[in-house]
Amino acid sequence: MLHECRKALGDEVELLHDVHERVSPRQAVQFAKDLEDVKLFYLEDVLSPEDNVYFRQIREQCTTSLAMGELFNSPHDGCP
């Protein structure tokens, strides 16, 4: 769907997608990698706060921009 949106809308439109933490960490890595060519503005809440250690793995393996944070309860909940 996102690939079709990008084709129809072109590069001028900033696309984003909120995953709502509905995938496993392994699926999150693959999903973010699969979306690299879509050039999302950002991919939001790809992981739950409990899985925040996996954000580093996603960043190491792909260039998709990530957004996270509204579910954190304190400043100490951020990514390591």
Side-chain angles (χ1 to χ4, degrees), residues 18-77:
D18 192 337
V19 180
H20 298 291
E21 314 117 44
R22 293 192 175 143
V23 297
S24 70
R26 178 176 281 184
Q27 291 170 320
V29 172
Q30 188 61 54
F31 189 54
K33 287 170 72 171
D34 290 345
L35 291 174
E36 281 184 306
D37 61 334
V38 175
K39 298 177 183 154
L40 289 179
F41 184 58
Y42 61 83
L43 182 62
E44 185 176 7
D45 294 335
V46 71
L47 297 169
S48 67
E50 294 81 32
D51 292 327
N52 69 5
V53 296
Y54 292 99
F55 275 103
R56 180 170 287 142
Q57 185 177 353
I58 295 171
R59 295 297 330 133
E60 290 172 353
Q61 295 189 36
C62 74
T63 60
T64 300
S65 297
L66 302 173
M68 178 66 173
E70 65 197 43
L71 300 173
F72 291 147
N73 295 312
S74 82
H76 305 289
D77 290 338

